[in-house]
Amino acid sequence: MAKKVLGYIMSSTILGEDEKLFLKLAKEKNIDLVFFNLEKDTDKKDIKEKARRCDLVFNSVAEEFALEMAKTIECLGTKVIDSPKAYYYSEDKWMFYLNAKKHSVPVPETILLSENTNMALAELNKFNKWPVVLKRVEGCQGEFVARAANADEAKNIIYSFLEKENEAKPIIAQEFIKSHSYRVLTIGGKIIQCVKKKCHGWKAVGAWASSHRKFEPDVSLKKIVKKINGFSGINICGIDLVKKNNEWRVLEINSQPTFGFIEYDKKRLVGEALDFFKKFK
């Protein structure tokens, strides 16, 4: 079998621990790694030459600038895992909610707010789920996610979102569910890792913590994950969940999920990803 060549989009100027681990395991699995550095690789000709050598490119960076690199590579004719299209559709928090409802996946009650702040506040009062969680439909690592106890707080949060980037973007309002946070990682439709995340506050955004624990998925969770993998089209997917009255509720999904929730388990996850890349057509 010919040696597979995998492109790897990274954000640092030097190889970090994750890149070194990918490089080490790729060599063991007879895979050549070609790095695309977001800080250095900006010349289209150089990108085209690198992309031409790759069978597949893995985007490891959950940042918007990385999407431009991924879109460029995809436009040049090389497949990217996962396609940046996922960010603009499958990962869109409102689109995910609609698709989840369509496929009977349990999710928190959610509404899309008007762009007009006064109308948005009226919609929130009608929704009447205080405290409520406000989220932009795009974003990761807990950015542009805040909790409001009342309409005054909601108004301040909406304005703070606008001031932070000086750009109005769609916002959803979601019922707040007091719960631990859970993350399920799937690769190629297969559940690879389930993690119960501990946090001191209401929002769990840190990837690395000594209090994170693995758990085994129950029958209900397996069915939910199967449905999500079926309609999301994301090959390497992070699924965030909470529990309401001991029943699962799915918050959102992410491509480019971290492999670092359980540090000692990272090597296994990278190996699973590389095995998937090797078989991917």
Side-chain angles (χ1 to χ4, degrees):
M1 181 183 294
K3 181 179 284 191
K4 200 93 169 184
V5 181
L6 174 69
Y8 184 104
I9 299 175
M10 57 182 285
S11 59
S12 175
T13 55
I14 60 173
L15 298 183
E17 289 186 10
D18 285 5
E19 288 75 32
K20 289 177 181 177
L21 180 58
F22 261 91
L23 189 59
K24 178 179 181 293
L25 295 181
K27 287 180 178 178
E28 293 176 5
K29 296 177 180 291
N30 198 35
I31 298 172
D32 279 344
L33 227 56
V34 174
F35 290 104
F36 292 84
N37 190 302
L38 295 178
E39 295 191 24
K40 296 194 299 185
D41 295 323
T42 56
D43 184 85
K44 181 186 173 184
K45 290 182 179 179
D46 292 341
I47 296 172
K48 184 176 182 179
E49 176 58 28
K50 282 188 176 183
R52 189 177 60 82
R53 294 160 51 196
C54 299
D55 299 297
L56 183 69
V57 174
F58 170 56
N59 179 19
S60 73
V61 185
E63 297 173 7
E64 288 196 28
F65 190 75
L67 294 173
E68 298 308 310
M69 176 69 80
K71 287 190 289 185
T72 300
I73 292 169
E74 204 170 53
C75 187
L76 291 170
T78 302
K79 291 182 180 179
V80 177
I81 295 293
D82 274 287
S83 171
K85 293 175 184 177
Y87 180 81
Y88 297 104
Y89 196 86
S90 298
E91 289 187 70
D92 178 300
K93 295 175 177 60
W94 178 242
M95 288 296 98
F96 172 73
Y97 170 78
L98 294 178
N99 275 316
K101 295 290 286 185
K102 180 179 178 180
H103 291 87
S104 301
V105 170
V107 286
E109 290 188 50
T110 303
I111 59 171
L112 179 67
L113 295 180
S114 169
E115 188 178 42
N116 180 286
T117 302
N118 289 330
M119 291 183 65
L121 294 175
E123 290 161 354
L124 284 168
N125 282 320
K126 183 178 179 180
F127 189 48
N128 197 29
K129 297 291 181 183
W130 308 107
V132 70
V133 179
L134 302 178
K135 302 178 179 180
R136 278 193 176 177
V137 297
E138 298 173 0
C140 59
Q141 296 293 326
E143 189 177 22
F144 296 108
V145 177
R147 185 176 62 177
N150 52 51
D152 286 338
E153 286 189 10
K155 183 178 181 179
N156 290 334
I157 289 168
I158 292 171
Y159 283 141
S160 72
F161 285 180
L162 177 60
E163 290 172 0
K164 191 171 181 180
E165 275 193 357
N166 197 30
E167 184 179 6
K169 291 186 177 180
I171 297 171
I172 60 169
Q174 200 168 67
E175 67 168 313
F176 171 67
I177 298 173
K178 188 175 181 180
S179 167
H180 290 298
S181 295
Y182 302 84
R183 162 60 68 90
V184 175
L185 172 69
T186 69
I187 297 178
K190 174 185 173 185
I191 294 178
I192 303 298
Q193 185 190 68
C194 298
V195 175
K196 181 179 181 180
K197 300 189 287 182
K198 297 280 188 176
C199 58
H200 297 296
W202 67 273
K203 185 166 60 171
V205 296
W208 297 271
S210 59
S211 57
H212 291 346
R213 295 288 183 269
K214 292 200 295 183
F215 69 94
E216 291 298 319
D218 57 27
V219 173
S220 175
L221 182 56
K222 289 178 180 178
K223 289 180 179 178
I224 290 169
V225 170
K226 185 176 180 180
K227 288 181 180 180
I228 291 172
N229 283 325
F231 70 74
S232 73
I234 300 177
N235 292 285
I236 299 182
C237 187
I239 303 170
D240 291 327
L241 308 98
V242 292
K243 280 189 172 181
K244 181 179 181 180
N245 300 325
N246 209 34
E247 294 184 350
W248 294 109
R249 296 289 186 275
V250 185
L251 295 178
E252 59 187 65
I253 59 175
N254 304 276
S255 57
Q256 294 88 47
T258 180
F259 293 161
F261 280 113
I262 307 292
E263 188 64 27
Y264 68 80
D265 206 27
K266 187 187 292 185
K267 181 178 179 181
R268 180 180 68 87
L269 304 187
V270 171
E272 291 274 4
L274 288 169
D275 287 340
F276 172 72
F277 297 146
K278 201 168 183 177
K279 295 182 291 185
F280 189 85
K281 300 294 185 182

